[in-house]
């Protein structure tokens, strides 16, 4: 496993954020669409394994295959750009503005949603033979997840809303570690290993991921879940996306940038002038 030093991959994070700001609208949408679709397929895969084997752990162990595929292909998730893009602005890269950041986030959200919704429609068709029969056990499981993670939170009011928000923070703390994991090695096996571990953790802990939920909840509504579009956005997608933004940026992006790019001067114990360990 060819390993890059933290100071090297932290700089790559800033470079990646800058590149995404200046990417064309067409490429941003295509990459986001494919990322949303592949992650949705991975979610179907993991839920199917969980239902058929009765082992949530096995489903979590195998779910990261989708995340690894989409990042090796160079596709973009909303949770990833939440972390990388603001670093280019903090690093004062020329031409990077708040407007550009919001534009990137908006396009990636739309692309991820379109990709996840496409898979939701296709899988609902498959599970119900073209909506002519009731969904099987996997489809019923997805419908149950949709109800439990919207109406189940709504029962607790504001406490439920902030529970989703915190679960979203914890989720993107781990997922963004997977995004960074793709940068700490220069070979495929090293990248996959570094991405696999935090993604497995988030899925097994059932933390809330905004892009996975773009598949789960529309799919649940198509297969009989008893909740509305407003329930989905108010009691899941909005607090999850906000939690993903805060958790990923605060716990991963800003911490790595602060200590490995904007490193503080060394302590002066001998009277000599302190010098920065690393200057950006």
């Amino acid at each position: 496993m060819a390993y890059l030093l933290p100071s090297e991959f932290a700089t790559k994070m800033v470079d990646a954020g800058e590149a995404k700001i200046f990417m064309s609208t067409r490429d941003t949408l295509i990459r986001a669409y494919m990322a949303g679709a592949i992650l949705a397929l991975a979610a179907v895969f993991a839920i199917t394994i969980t239902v058929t084997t009765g082992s949530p752990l096995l489903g979590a162990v195998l779910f990261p295959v989708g995340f690894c595929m989409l990042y090796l292909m160079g596709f973009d998730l909303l949770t990833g750009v939440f972390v990388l893009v603001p670093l280019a602005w903090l690093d004062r890269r020329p031409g990077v503005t708040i407007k550009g950041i919001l534009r990137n986030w908006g396009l990636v959200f739309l692309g991820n949603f379109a990709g996840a919704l496409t898979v939701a429609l296709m899988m609902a068709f498959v599970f119900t033979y073209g909506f002519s029969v009731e969904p099987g056990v996997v489809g019923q499981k997805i419908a149950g997840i949709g109800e439990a993670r919207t109406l189940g939170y709504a029962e607790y009011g504001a406490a439920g809303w902030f529970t989703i928000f915190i679960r979203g923070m914890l989720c993107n703390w781990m997922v963004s570690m997977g995004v960074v994991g793709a940068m700490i090695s220069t070979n495929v096996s090293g990248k996959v290993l570094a991405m696999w571990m935090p993604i497995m953790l988030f899925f097994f802990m059932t933390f809330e991921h905004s892009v996975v939920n773009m598949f789960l909840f529309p799919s649940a509504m198509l297969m009989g879940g008893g909740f509305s579009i407003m329930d989905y956005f108010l009691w899941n997608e909005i607090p999850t996306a906000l939690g993903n933004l805060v958790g990923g940026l605060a716990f991963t992006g800003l911490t790595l940038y602060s200590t490995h790019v904007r490193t503080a001067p060394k302590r002066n114990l001998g009277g000599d002038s302190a010098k920065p360990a690393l200057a950006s």
Side-chain angles (χ1 to χ4, degrees), residues 144-168 206-210 213-214 216-218 221 226-243:
I145 292 173
E147 288 187 21
R149 287 162 60 175
T150 50
L151 303 182
Y153 286 123
E155 290 179 5
Y156 297 93
W161 196 94
F162 281 102
T163 299
I164 310 171
F165 176 80
I166 293 171
R167 292 174 80 91
T206 63
F207 292 153
E208 299 286 353
H209 188 278
S210 54
N213 292 355
M214 290 173 187
L216 280 178
F217 294 86
M221 282 188 278
F227 61 97
S228 67
I229 293 175
M230 185 62 73
D231 290 330
Y232 159 51
F233 278 101
L234 182 60
W235 292 104
N236 196 287
E237 190 63 40
I238 292 173
T240 295
L242 292 174

Side-chain angles (χ1 to χ4, degrees), residues 132-147:
S132 59
V133 300
E134 293 295 316
V137 290
V138 176
Q140 292 172 11
K141 176 70 174 177
I142 293 173
I145 292 173
E147 288 187 21

Side-chain angles (χ1 to χ4, degrees), residues 29-181:
L29 287 172
I30 290 173
R31 296 180 194 195
Y33 178 88
M34 292 305 298
I38 292 172
L39 200 68
L41 282 171
V44 179
F45 172 59
I47 293 170
T48 302
I49 291 170
T50 299
V51 170
T52 55
T53 66
S55 172
L57 178 59
L58 187 58
V61 167
L62 295 175
F63 171 73
V65 66
F67 185 88
C68 294
M69 282 195 295
L70 72 91
Y71 266 99
L72 290 175
M73 294 297 109
F75 300 143
D76 287 324
L77 290 174
L78 183 65
T79 44
V81 297
F82 272 165
V83 177
L84 299 177
V85 169
L87 299 183
W89 180 76
L90 288 172
D91 206 53
R92 299 178 183 177
R93 296 293 175 93
V96 176
T97 63
I98 296 294
K99 182 180 178 182
I101 293 172
L102 295 176
R103 172 187 172 278
N104 175 265
W105 288 351
L107 290 174
V108 174
F109 181 95
L110 291 175
N112 284 170
F113 204 99
L117 189 59
T118 300
V119 172
L121 290 168
M122 294 172 74
M123 291 308 304
F125 193 96
V126 169
F127 284 138
T128 62
Y129 289 90
F131 303 100
S132 59
V133 300
E134 293 295 316
V137 290
V138 176
Q140 292 172 11
K141 176 70 174 177
I142 293 173
I145 292 173
E147 288 187 21
R149 287 162 60 175
T150 50
L151 303 182
Y153 286 123
E155 290 179 5
Y156 297 93
W161 196 94
F162 281 102
T163 299
I164 310 171
F165 176 80
I166 293 171
R167 292 174 80 91
M169 288 179 64
L170 292 167
C171 176
N172 208 26
W173 187 357
M174 290 296 100
V175 173
S176 57
M177 292 296 288
V179 173
V180 175

